[in-house]
Amino acid sequence: MSPEKKKLINIVILGFAFMFMFTAFQTCGNVAQTVISSLNNTDFHGTGYTSLAIIYGVFSASNLIAPSVVALIGCQFSMFISGLFYSAYIAMFIQPYTWSFYTLSVFIGIAAAVLWTAQGTCLTVNSTEETIGRNSGIFWALLQFSMLFGNLYIYVAWKGEVNISERDRRSVFIALTVISLVGSVLFFLIRKPESFDIQDEDRTSDSSQIMDGNTAAQSNISKAVGAFTRSLKLSVTKEMLLLSVSMAYTGLELTFYSGVYGTCIGSINNFGSDAKSLIGLSGIFIGIGEVIGGSIFGLLGKNSRFGRNQVVFLGLVVHLLAFYLIFLNIPNDAPIASRDGTFSRAFIDPSKVLALFCSFLLGLGDSCFNTQLLSILGSFYAEDSAPAFAIFKFVQSISAAVAFFYSNYLLLQWQLFIMVILGFFGTIAFFFAEWAAADLVSQGSRYSSI
């Protein structure tokens, strides 16, 4: 088998592993607030929005050390250990307690930083300048299949349910825990590519190499410090500062489609007994949009006439359309409605079809931004992939943490307004970053902090 085929297989395995893990986690996040509001246990005082705010807040801070962790223990083991923490968080919902809910929210924030930094490194070392766009699309499409399967189960299992029973909750989260564990195990199938020379795998032990304990410790410390230093240097470059505006926008809209929008749909009493099951159906349509976008834009990445800027602009247009239709269709108090839901009306009578169409648009637009950010980071920062992807997740997660916090308080119209403004400026900033990166690449150079 050729080296390129081995790399492609690695990308596919990586995508399937994330698909299993995030089938569990994204489904969990999508229904968390609804499940919590249905708990009969008066001793539980947690909220899904607060948990997600903690996760993304810790996630953002942990990205400062994530490249060092990946440099010390390697991509494969980093992703496996992180996956175990994801499984623990999901399993907590089988019998939730406030203390375990928030404690595991902290741990999964740390694990997420390590997981996504390792993922970015793995994607980069299994790609070339010519294949990074294709591989980003393949990975993103496989990852977003996770939006389909778990949410399909939620739709079928919760159809007609007004409140989620203890039995239904436990059945769902036992199944999701097992699915998450399967994804973690799949990471061990990824093989080291023959041309693998990324810095974080230099730590791989060789039985023929003789190194005493002190030398090994000094080497590990040196790698960790070096990774941290590269992250700091990279974060203040002009191109990365520009891309950070786009990254921040992806954090806001991630918060909206993964937690807020499903909660809005589930709280609309005018949808009748189908309101709770529509949360799952909404997730399915978001996933369909993500998969279609990832598949198409991976192929378009080979066509220079339809480059990254055009895809990002398309994403902005799609999201603006989605936000406008949501503004017309969803009541303003839906994100912060009580357990009893809301009977409020927006500018039109609430439409299930329109709500699900907006779910599809949210997924399609999200894939436009994320596939192109993965592509430009993997291409332009190939020599510093771990720090580059750590910065991406740092900016995205701190933005998501802020958004999950204000989602507890802001009416829908203000949440949409914030996303419109940041989405516009994020798109403009991406254009300038892409042009700057293209100029350097045309001169035969890429960014390197060394």
Side-chain angles (χ1 to χ4, degrees), residues 50-103:
T50 303
S51 169
L52 289 167
I54 292 172
I55 289 173
Y56 284 99
V58 175
F59 184 7
S60 63
S62 299
N63 276 294
L64 297 174
I65 62 169
S68 300
V69 174
V70 176
L72 289 175
I73 65 176
C75 292
Q76 199 171 50
F77 199 58
S78 294
M79 291 188 288
F80 173 71
I81 296 298
S82 299
L84 296 183
F85 281 103
Y86 272 77
S87 300
Y89 176 82
I90 295 165
M92 178 276 306
F93 281 93
I94 298 172
Q95 186 57 56
Y97 296 99
T98 306
W99 67 268
S100 60
F101 183 47
Y102 288 138
T103 300

Side-chain angles (χ1 to χ4, degrees), residues 260-301:
V260 176
Y261 190 57
T263 300
C264 290
I265 291 175
S267 69
I268 300 176
N269 291 322
N270 289 326
F271 283 160
S273 59
D274 289 337
K276 295 295 186 289
S277 63
L278 281 175
I279 298 173
L281 200 57
S282 171
I284 292 171
F285 276 85
I286 291 172
I288 292 172
E290 295 275 15
V291 170
I292 291 176
S295 302
I296 293 175
F297 303 138
L299 295 175
L300 289 178

Side-chain angles (χ1 to χ4, degrees), residues 435-447:
W435 291 330
D439 287 342
L440 285 178
V441 170
S442 66
Q443 297 169 13
S445 62
R446 295 183 185 179
Y447 175 82

